[in-house]
Each structure stands twice: as C-alpha cells, then as structure tokens.
Amino acid sequence: MKLSRVVLVLLSLIMVSCVDNKKNTQEPSPNTSKRMKKKVVYQVFTRLFGNTNTTNKPWGTLEENGVGKFADFDATALKAIKDLGVTHIWYTGVPHHALINDYTAIGISNDDPDVVKGRAGSPYAVKDYYNVNPDLAVNPANRLQEFEALIERTHKEGLKVLIDIVPNHVARKYEGLTNPEGIDSFGAKDDTSVAYARDNNFYYLPGEAFKVPEWKNNYAPLGGSKNKNSDGGFVEVPAKWTGNGSRLAQPDFNDWYETVKVNYGIKPDGTRDFDSLPDGYANMDYKAHFTFWENKDVPDSWVKFKDIAVYWLEKGVDGFRFDMAEMVPVEFWSYMNSSIKMKKPDAFLLAEVYNPSLYREYLFKGKMDYLYDKVELYDSLKHIIKGYGWTDHIHTVQSGMADIEHHMLRFLENHDEQRIASPEFAGDANLAKPAMVVSATLSTAPTMIYFGQEVGEDGSEDAGFGSPSRTSIFDYIGVPAHQRWMNNKKFDGGLSTDNEKQLRDFYSRLLNFTINSDALMGQYQEIHYYNKEHTPSYDHRIYSFVRWSATEKLIIVSNFDAEKSYDINLKLSPDVVEKWDLDNGEIALKEQLYGQFNPSLKIENRVGYIPLQIAPLQSFIFKLP
C-alpha cells in the first residue's frame, strides 16, 4: 500500500545531518509535565487477533481460514493485553472496508475482486466510515453495536481505544449506507463533468472510463479462483484519480488502484483553494487554531472527515491513527485536529509521516500529538540489529530531534514493516531485545508494539496477496505464534514454546517498567561517547545513556552483539556525576528488568564506575536509590 515510501525514505536519509556529540543533553519537552508516565500502544490487527483456525490456505475464504471477531476481545484477553504493560489499543481495520464476502442479505453490496487487494481486503480502502467491518461481528447486522460493546469492555479494563482514519483516499466503491441524518456520502454531490471543483470530493478524468490495471508477476484476483463479480473490469465513468495520485484511467499494478484520491481543495496544478495559516500559528494552541477556522469556508472533504472523527469520538473512541498524513495538506490537519481537541482535549492523535523535513510542520501547524519515528530511529535500530549499523547513530538521531522527541512514537514492528523474526529482517526475535530496551527507554515518547511481536511471530505465512515477512493485512489467515499464546482463547500462553514465553516475559517486564517510571518522562543524556573514549573494549555494539527526573535516576546499557560478551568498567561521565550531585563513595544499584545483578556504582574523583559483565543481547536498567 505504501509503495511511495521508498522515495520518501531515500529523501529523508539525505536530509539527516551529523550532530555535534557535545550536544548530548536532552531537556524534557515543555508539555511532558502533563504526561507523567509513558504510554504504550498495542497495535492489533483486529480480524486476526482471535482467529484460532490454523488452515492457512493461500487465498482461503473466511470459512476456510477463519476470522477473528470483536467478541474475542473479552475481559480475559483485554486483561492479558493490559498486563503486558499496555495503555492504548489500536484496533486496526475497524472501519468498514471493501472485502470479498457476501453480505447482501443485510443490504451491503458486493465488492469487485478486480479492485480489492486480497480476499479480506485492505483496511485502507474504506467503504463506509460510519460503520464497521461486518467480518468482525458475530451478527453482522449488529456490527456497530458489537464494536460499541468492545469500546466499553476496553475502557472497563482501563485501556484507551484508537482506530484508523484514512484521509487521503477511500475505496473505489465507497457507499455510505449508514450515514447519520444530513450526512452525504463522498462524491454524492460531485460535479463529474469537470476534473476539479473545490467542493468535489474526488478528482475526475472526464470522458474516460476506468480500466483495471494490467496484472503483473502472474497475479490474478483471488489467486485465480472464480467469483461472479470478477470479470476483468470495474465500471467507473468518468474515471477518478487513484489514491496515490495517479491520474491514469488505467493505473499501474503498483499503484493504489483499489482506492481513489480525496480532494482537499488542491487544484491539479498544485495551487490551493483554501486559506493558509498566518505566521506564528505553529506556536499557538489548538484553541487558537479552532478559532481561526471557525468562520472560514473550507472544502467539503474537510468537513466530511471532521464529522467522521467527531462521530467516533462520541462513540467513545479515544484517538486516531491517521494513514499517510503527509499526503494531505497541513492546513486540513489544523482544522481537523483542533476540532477533535475541542471535543476531547486528551484525544491521542498519531500520524504516519515519513519525511523528516515535514515533522515539525505536521506537529506544530497540524496539531498532531505523535508521528511515526520510522526513517530515523527505526531504520537505525534495524541496521544495528542486522549487524552492520553502529550504535553511535542512536544519539545522532535522538539529539537531532531533541526539540520534538516527545512527539516521535517509537516502534520495531507494525503492519507495514517486516516481522523481526522473519528471515528477511533478523530471523530471530531475540536479536531485537537490546533495540527494544533502547527504543522503549530512550525518550519520553510513546512506545508501540504489534500483536505477536511479543512472542516472536515471524510472518512466514503465504496468505495470498503480498508476500511473507509481514503478517498479511489483505487476507484471512492465522498467526501461529500468537495463536499458541492465545491457547484456544484462554490467552494464557499455554501452547507457547519456552522461547516464546521467555520473550513475552521480557516484553512484559520492560513495558511495565516504562509505564511506571518517572525518569523516562524526564531528561536524557548519552554516556556512550565518554565510554568509547575512556573504557577499554567498549565499542559501537554497545549503547549506554542515563535518564533522570527529580525522583528517579537510571543508568541504561545494552549489548547489541549476538555473540560477544563484554567485561567492562562502565563509566558515569563527570558532567552526569555533577548534575546528579553524587559524592565520592559507593552506591548500591538495583537492576529493574530481572533484578539478578545489582552492582555498586563507585564515585571517585567525579567519575562513576560500574564493573559489569554484559552477555550477548543483554540489557541492564540500573536504578539509583
């Protein structure tokens, strides 16, 4: 779905600059005092979570391969998720999207396999924003009520609810069957005789009919199986622009051909049909942004998406993950997010943005809370995990984003990225343990994990559309390592292997520590370079840093090497000793992950010394009394 990401990543890497190693202290963001503890987001692919079927037939039907339901997230499942150290659940794939299953008995039209990716369909080709995926309901006719009950259950367990909003595009066959009174569907009132009009929801190619792409690499819809709606064509006259911006009546196979691009008032020549934010608004709060737009005449698509967000807030949703936000003008986000915050000031707003040069614009002008930290920390950690990256780059990333570190959500997996345990990434989930410790403790930003990550899921199933290494988001499939933990819906790890149990225990220890630590909402300083200069055998496969607040002081060190142990005298640099006001003598440390190694910190001549042996892939989080 995100094919253009390759270009964005290349551009972003060019923009990354070297940072002076002397600038090694990060002050906490001004607003972190209001967020006393870190947040942890558990992304779950909703249709896969509760599926116990292990058939895993490529292109298998719902009946053959099974599907999870909202009801699978019962009190036991939700408690197990919370006990992992989670504060927010992102239920991915909830809005009703195009899919290949017959629900005509309840008034839903069939979707055409020629414009659906996979059999279960992409969650990013939304068909009806005012309802939910019928596959996820025990009784599809009552699907909305079943989701409302899930929101209530989730809140009862003390967890917050996030869902997707995909503002850049919708399904080619969008049908708002359950719109609230007075709400028109996307495109319902468009003037299709023109390529562009400000209040059209889509862009058109007058006089041209849409054509299905020419299939490549022996691809056939549904893997070649017969379907009454699959005939090599899809009626769309006039043709619309495709979701990734293609203006061809016959998009390429690699385009997002199952979607159509939404018009936000940007003309085909790139000029804009809406007001710009005046200078200085990047420094103003959401209330000022709301006031600015309150009496402005804005494009119709802006209003439609704002109404969608407010609708779900009123259902009890606590926030949103916005897909490919940088493909939508930042002025819209100012309008949208200020409207959301006026309704729910503590709403959690997470955006997918990959271009580092746009981060601050979308945070400060667009009023986002958090952005993916993909092309900076994630990519750096991936290179280190794979063996060719240096830990030196971790601080380059962190110091380069010191002013926005609180807003850059950290992760090692999500539905777009390769599973850590896949051969295409690391081949062993344990190789990411030190990276997970660093990712979760380096900043004040939230941490995100993807369901199955905590038990080493490898994404090796051939589900149909797409290829292994990423758990399929397009087809009905089982998730084996996760299913073993689920243990026929006991959610107790009863069928997990010893390695899977140990891995989940590691994640639970780490994540629970992070959400209860005061220091992780405080200051950061690396001690990595001081140790590289002053500690024999310390090298670029180790990373060390400190975190502190008024009530807690932490020393964190991770060994990224899978084979090498280090016997070192880790040093606390003089400037840290001074900032912490430590006197000469010995201080007993308490290790926070496993607590089996509790050395002393010896302060002598304004330098701290911790003698330690650190095994391959081991991390320590030492707490001062």
Side-chain angles (χ1 to χ4, degrees):
M1 183 69 180
K2 314 294 188 297
L3 297 174
S4 62
R5 178 181 304 157
V6 175
V7 175
L8 293 171
V9 170
L10 290 174
L11 287 172
S12 68
L13 290 175
I14 293 171
M15 290 181 234
V16 174
S17 60
C18 294
V19 178
D20 185 348
N21 291 334
K22 295 180 182 178
K23 297 177 181 177
N24 61 353
T25 300
Q26 162 200 301
E27 296 296 330
S29 300
N31 59 353
T32 56
S33 61
K34 300 177 182 178
R35 299 173 169 86
M36 297 304 294
K37 300 294 171 64
K38 278 177 72 86
K39 299 178 175 69
V40 173
V41 178
Y42 188 77
Q43 183 195 1
V44 57
F45 207 83
T46 314
R47 88 160 78 101
L48 303 182
F49 179 84
N51 183 20
T52 58
N53 188 308
T54 59
T55 303
N56 285 357
K57 173 185 174 182
W59 294 100
T61 64
L62 182 154
E63 291 76 19
E64 290 170 326
N65 282 359
V67 69
K69 304 289 184 181
F70 293 133
D72 295 327
F73 295 90
D74 60 15
T76 302
L78 291 167
K79 183 178 185 302
I81 292 171
K82 185 178 182 182
D83 287 349
L84 186 62
V86 171
T87 60
H88 293 64
I89 302 182
W90 166 17
Y91 290 110
T92 306
V94 166
H96 182 186
H97 57 77
L99 52 86
I100 307 303
N101 205 18
D102 192 332
Y103 290 107
T104 54
I106 59 171
I108 298 173
S109 65
N110 284 323
D111 290 301
D112 189 329
D114 294 300
V115 289
V116 175
K117 288 180 176 175
R119 187 179 287 277
S122 168
Y124 300 107
V126 176
K127 179 176 178 173
D128 183 353
Y129 260 115
Y130 287 100
N131 218 314
V132 298
N133 182 354
D135 280 349
L136 303 178
V138 174
N139 180 357
N142 293 331
R143 59 198 182 280
L144 187 57
Q145 292 85 348
E146 290 190 28
F147 181 58
E148 290 171 338
L150 174 57
I151 295 173
E152 185 177 347
R153 288 197 302 276
T154 306
H155 287 163
K156 188 175 181 180
E157 291 299 326
L159 295 162
K160 301 286 190 180
V161 173
L162 310 179
I163 64 170
D164 294 277
I165 289 182
V166 189
N168 180 63
H169 47 271
V170 297
R172 283 221 106 89
K173 189 181 180 182
Y174 188 92
E175 292 182 346
L177 297 180
T178 57
N179 292 354
E181 185 176 354
I183 299 289
D184 296 315
S185 289
F186 286 95
K189 293 185 175 179
D190 280 9
D191 177 359
T192 62
S193 69
V194 295
Y196 165 86
R198 193 200 71 156
D199 290 318
N200 276 358
N201 298 134
F202 305 125
Y203 298 93
Y204 295 91
L205 298 169
E208 297 187 66
F210 172 80
K211 294 181 181 179
V212 169
E214 292 184 5
W215 307 130
K216 298 178 181 179
N217 305 320
N218 299 314
Y219 172 80
L222 306 184
S225 62
K226 293 183 179 180
N227 182 284
K228 62 183 180 181
N229 298 306
S230 185
D231 58 5
F234 176 76
V235 177
E236 181 182 285
V237 182
K240 303 180 181 77
W241 290 15
T242 294
N244 62 324
S246 172
R247 305 183 186 189
L248 301 175
Q250 183 178 30
D252 185 80
F253 177 53
N254 292 317
D255 289 328
W256 305 346
Y257 61 82
E258 80 280 23
T259 66
V260 292
K261 185 168 181 62
V262 175
N263 166 27
Y264 281 87
I266 298 180
K267 299 176 184 178
D269 65 5
T271 57
R272 301 183 168 204
D273 245 349
F274 49 81
D275 290 283
S276 295
L277 285 168
D279 291 341
Y281 266 73
N283 301 316
M284 295 186 183
D285 65 12
Y286 69 84
K287 294 178 182 178
H289 283 245
F290 180 81
T291 299
F292 175 79
W293 294 110
E294 195 168 16
N295 297 311
K296 296 288 190 299
D297 182 25
V298 299
D300 184 74
S301 296
W302 293 29
V303 179
K304 279 186 165 57
F305 270 104
K306 181 262 293 182
D307 289 343
I308 288 164
V310 170
Y311 171 85
W312 288 110
L313 291 175
E314 291 174 348
K315 293 288 184 187
V317 167
D318 299 293
F320 306 100
R321 180 268 191 184
F322 299 125
D323 185 79
M324 293 306 288
E326 68 197 86
M327 298 183 77
V328 177
V330 73
E331 288 84 357
F332 162 74
W333 290 117
S334 165
Y335 168 85
M336 171 84 152
N337 290 338
S338 63
S339 297
I340 291 172
K341 292 289 188 178
M342 291 298 290
K343 290 285 185 180
K344 187 176 179 61
D346 64 344
F348 185 108
L349 305 180
L350 168 64
E352 185 183 30
V353 174
Y354 295 109
N355 187 340
S357 70
L358 297 177
Y359 287 169
R360 290 160 182 82
E361 184 174 4
Y362 277 74
L363 286 170
F364 302 132
K365 285 188 177 180
K367 295 300 158 195
M368 297 294 183
D369 291 324
Y370 308 108
L371 307 180
Y372 275 26
D373 188 358
K374 195 278 180 194
V375 302
E376 299 276 20
L377 188 66
Y378 169 86
D379 282 352
S380 297
L381 291 175
K382 185 172 185 177
H383 296 163
I384 298 167
I385 293 167
K386 290 171 76 69
Y388 51 81
W390 285 36
T391 57
D392 299 28
H393 197 62
I394 294 171
H395 179 64
T396 301
V397 167
Q398 187 67 2
S399 58
M401 293 192 293
D403 61 320
I404 58 170
E405 62 85 32
H406 178 70
H407 304 283
M408 301 306 298
L409 174 135
R410 268 62 195 270
F411 61 89
L412 293 182
E413 282 193 3
N414 65 46
H415 69 276
D416 281 319
E417 308 303 337
Q418 294 172 326
R419 290 287 194 176
I420 296 164
S422 69
E424 294 83 356
F425 187 162
D428 179 355
N430 290 293
L431 295 178
K433 282 183 174 180
M436 193 64 225
V437 170
V438 170
S439 179
T441 62
L442 191 67
S443 78
T444 66
T447 303
M448 183 172 77
I449 66 168
Y450 188 37
F451 88 111
Q453 176 182 343
E454 72 276 22
V455 288
E457 177 58 43
D458 66 6
S460 60
E461 292 68 44
D462 180 8
F465 190 91
S467 58
S469 81
R470 296 169 176 84
T471 296
S472 176
I473 66 170
F474 303 106
D475 284 285
Y476 302 110
I477 200 72
V479 184
H482 169 73
Q483 288 176 320
R484 289 191 288 274
W485 169 77
M486 189 166 51
N487 189 20
N488 296 309
K489 301 187 182 181
K490 294 178 184 176
F491 306 102
D492 62 1
L495 297 177
S496 296
T497 66
D498 288 344
N499 183 62
E500 290 165 355
K501 290 176 182 177
Q502 291 167 9
L503 188 64
R504 194 173 195 278
D505 176 66
F506 161 78
Y507 272 89
S508 180
R509 290 171 182 270
L510 174 63
L511 297 177
N512 276 288
F513 170 76
T514 67
I515 63 174
N516 289 295
S517 170
D518 290 325
L520 295 185
M521 294 308 292
Q523 298 189 62
Y524 153 89
Q525 180 168 325
E526 57 86 18
I527 54 174
H528 173 74
Y529 288 102
Y530 186 85
N531 278 278
K532 282 194 77 175
E533 292 177 9
H534 298 92
T535 302
S537 80
Y538 183 106
D539 61 23
H540 64 273
R541 296 297 288 165
I542 309 177
Y543 192 69
S544 56
F545 58 101
V546 295
R547 299 295 312 276
W548 74 96
S549 67
T551 60
E552 187 177 53
K553 298 178 178 68
L554 303 174
I555 302 167
I556 302 171
V557 56
S558 291
N559 176 9
F560 283 78
D561 201 283
E563 299 178 355
K564 183 178 178 180
S565 295
Y566 290 83
D567 190 347
I568 60 175
N569 205 3
L570 186 74
K571 294 176 179 61
L572 200 61
S573 55
D575 53 345
V576 175
V577 171
E578 182 178 353
K579 288 174 183 176
W580 287 5
D581 194 23
L582 301 178
D583 296 326
N584 286 345
E586 293 197 6
I587 302 169
L589 303 177
K590 186 170 180 58
E591 206 281 315
Q592 300 297 296
L593 285 178
Y594 292 94
Q596 296 176 346
F597 175 57
N598 298 296
S600 292
L601 167 65
K602 183 179 181 180
I603 307 297
E604 189 175 79
N605 298 322
R606 297 177 58 247
V607 177
Y609 301 87
I610 307 173
L612 60 87
Q613 290 182 327
I614 184 165
L617 305 178
Q618 189 172 32
S619 295
F620 295 121
I621 301 176
F622 297 120
K623 181 178 177 179
L624 277 68

